[in-house]
Amino acid sequence: MSLRPKKHSLTLRGHRTSVSLEDEFWTAFREIAAKKGRAINELAAEIDEWRGTDCGLASAIRLYVLRDLSAGSD
């Protein structure tokens, strides 16, 4: 387990960007995308659209993962 975020490239609506997340968040994000039958690029683009300007993409993905995991524990 690495505590340092790892940078991965994503393509959002045809534009490449890099996002740094910890391994656990990458794993959970991939699992959520698979569960929804979506590619991580597609899901990241959706998150990017609704995140607004007050939150960075990496933070928005972490919050998305947290909310998904919290909803699953109800």
Side-chain angles (χ1 to χ4, degrees), residues 18-33:
S18 294
V19 176
S20 295
L21 297 172
E22 296 75 11
D23 285 338
E24 292 81 3
F25 279 102
W26 280 119
T27 299
F29 190 44
R30 285 186 184 99
E31 289 172 359
I32 292 165

